[in-house]
Amino acid sequence: MSVLNGVRLTSEDMTYGNIPFIGATDKNNGITNWTNNTNASTDKNVLGINYNGSVGEVFYHPYTATFSDDVKRLRLKSSTSANKEIYLFIKTLLLQQKNKYTYGYKFNGTRMKAQKIMLPVMTQGSPNWDYMEQYIVNLMKNVNLPTVEPIKASTVDLNSVKWKEFEIEHLFDRISSVKGKTIDSYQSGTMPYITTSASNNGLTGYVSADKNVTTPRNVITIDPIKGKTFYHVYEFVGRGGAGSAINVLESKYLNKKIGLFIMTMIESNSFLKASYGTQLNGKRLRRQKIMLPVTTDNSPNWQFMEEYIKSISNSRLI
């Protein structure tokens, strides 16, 4: 396979549009933003594999997308074999190697080229592409996919409003850290317990705890190590501690839809900057800049954010 680099694209240089921007995340098929920018990394029908962020995570991209410099592109050298089924087969084999790589031992281009995977072969030793393709075809025949309503096409144009850069400290009424202890410090209860887990909205259990360690509802949380954000419509206890404690953003303007819009903007930057060595908290978090749509007086256009999320969602999603 050919190993191709992504291209660095800062938030300052990015224009928002309809092209998926692929970043170093483990969610949403690698899509961390939508852009109009194209460059040498713009590609399709490739695997995207994370060099930074969620190191070693792999996604298949049949559509045209622009790739961050934290993501490498893997393209089969044989164009006749480069179809969806074969890429999905190889993706699974690459994911089996994921645990070998971390922030300190990154899956860089040199290691990717040297990485070995097991493939079915023909009698003469060449890869058996037909077998791989048919295996995935047969596998998908036995998968019962859920039936859902299609997502509505957006009727709100991101380019119809003016955008402005804001520091996070100027957007929120309060920025704080959670105060909870480890989950073993509490008895079982009904209060959600939130950690830096990247799945299930950070929820890892339910505890019984005093009000003085409880975080209020309708807030955004940020993991300072991975930059992952979640919106919480409920009160919860968050695991505190040292500098890696979850950060909490509170604002009188927040609701779930506005929160989801802002979370996307925060994550588009935080995945590039947060790590064990550079934690996203304190002054670094407060001075983190994000782009938001604004009104004629250059204040955040909360109504537009809410209407945009409404326009791209249906009742089963939000």
Side-chain angles (χ1 to χ4, degrees):
M1 301 188 81
S2 299
V3 179
L4 308 169
N5 293 330
V7 174
R8 182 169 180 76
L9 180 61
T10 65
S11 59
E12 291 83 3
D13 295 330
M14 180 182 290
T15 58
Y16 296 93
N18 299 316
I19 301 173
F21 180 71
I22 309 303
T25 178
D26 60 352
K27 305 295 181 184
N28 200 29
N29 214 59
I31 300 173
T32 59
N33 219 322
W34 296 84
T35 182
N36 276 330
N37 297 76
T38 58
N39 53 42
S41 78
T42 304
D43 209 344
K44 66 178 181 179
N45 197 36
V46 294
L47 293 177
I49 184 164
N50 293 350
Y51 158 68
N52 269 326
S54 297
V55 179
E57 191 65 49
V58 188
F59 293 109
Y60 172 60
H61 305 280
Y63 41 76
T64 298
T66 297
F67 291 77
S68 158
D69 59 339
D70 289 317
V71 182
K72 304 287 186 183
R73 289 168 289 138
L74 302 183
R75 181 187 296 140
L76 281 168
K77 294 182 178 180
S78 171
S79 59
T80 57
S81 303
N83 61 35
K84 174 183 177 180
E85 288 74 22
I86 289 174
Y87 272 124
L88 290 177
F89 191 100
I90 294 174
K91 168 188 171 177
T92 302
L93 299 178
L94 289 170
L95 284 173
Q96 292 175 357
Q97 310 291 335
K98 179 180 176 181
N99 291 337
K100 291 169 57 176
Y101 302 98
T102 64
Y103 288 103
Y105 187 70
K106 296 183 179 181
F107 202 12
N108 57 30
T110 300
R111 291 183 179 127
M112 286 184 196
K113 291 177 182 178
Q115 177 66 61
K116 296 180 180 180
I117 58 174
M118 296 289 290
L119 292 177
V121 295
M122 307 285 284
T123 53
Q124 70 271 29
S126 58
N128 193 334
W129 304 115
D130 289 340
Y131 176 88
M132 296 181 226
E133 181 176 2
Q134 196 57 49
Y135 180 85
I136 296 297
V137 169
N138 291 339
L139 187 65
M140 294 302 293
K141 286 180 180 178
N142 296 319
V143 175
N144 294 319
L145 298 176
T147 301
V148 296
E149 298 173 9
I151 297 176
K152 300 174 185 177
S154 175
T155 58
V156 181
D157 185 2
L158 288 173
N159 295 314
S160 66
V161 291
K162 179 181 176 182
W163 292 72
K164 179 186 172 183
E165 196 172 58
F166 292 89
E167 290 186 348
I168 283 180
E169 66 178 346
H170 296 146
L171 290 172
F172 295 92
D173 301 324
R174 185 168 183 258
I175 301 173
S176 60
S177 298
V178 294
K179 303 175 182 177
K181 301 177 182 178
T182 61
I183 195 168
D184 295 337
S185 304
Y186 302 100
Q187 293 183 346
S188 178
T190 58
M191 181 68 68
Y193 183 82
I194 305 298
T195 68
T196 55
S197 170
S199 60
N200 199 29
N201 222 52
L203 178 66
T204 57
Y206 293 87
V207 300
S208 176
D210 297 332
K211 265 295 192 189
N212 64 338
V213 296
T214 301
T215 299
R217 69 182 69 235
N218 293 325
V219 299
I220 293 173
T221 57
I222 303 179
D223 171 6
I225 296 174
K226 295 181 180 178
K228 183 66 181 173
T229 64
F230 289 116
Y231 188 80
H232 304 274
V233 297
Y234 43 80
E235 293 183 350
F236 64 91
V237 174
R239 180 179 177 179
S244 60
I246 301 167
N247 298 295
V248 180
L249 307 180
E250 301 176 53
S251 170
K252 61 185 176 183
Y253 296 107
L254 276 184
N255 59 36
K256 186 174 182 180
K257 292 179 176 62
I258 291 173
L260 291 173
F261 191 103
I262 293 177
M263 285 163 55
T264 301
M265 299 298 105
I266 292 175
E267 286 194 356
S268 67
N269 286 329
S270 64
F271 276 123
L272 303 177
K273 297 181 180 180
S275 68
Y276 285 97
T278 308
Q279 293 183 1
L280 193 60
N281 52 25
K283 289 183 179 179
R284 190 175 292 112
L285 171 62
R286 292 175 181 274
R287 294 175 181 173
Q288 173 71 45
K289 296 178 180 180
I290 61 174
M291 295 290 290
L292 290 179
V294 294
T295 59
T296 53
D297 63 355
N298 284 328
S299 59
N301 194 333
W302 306 111
Q303 182 177 355
F304 178 87
M305 297 181 219
E306 184 170 5
E307 290 300 320
Y308 180 77
I309 295 299
K310 285 181 181 178
S311 75
I312 64 172
S313 63
N314 60 38
S315 59
R316 292 193 180 188
L317 295 178
I318 297 177

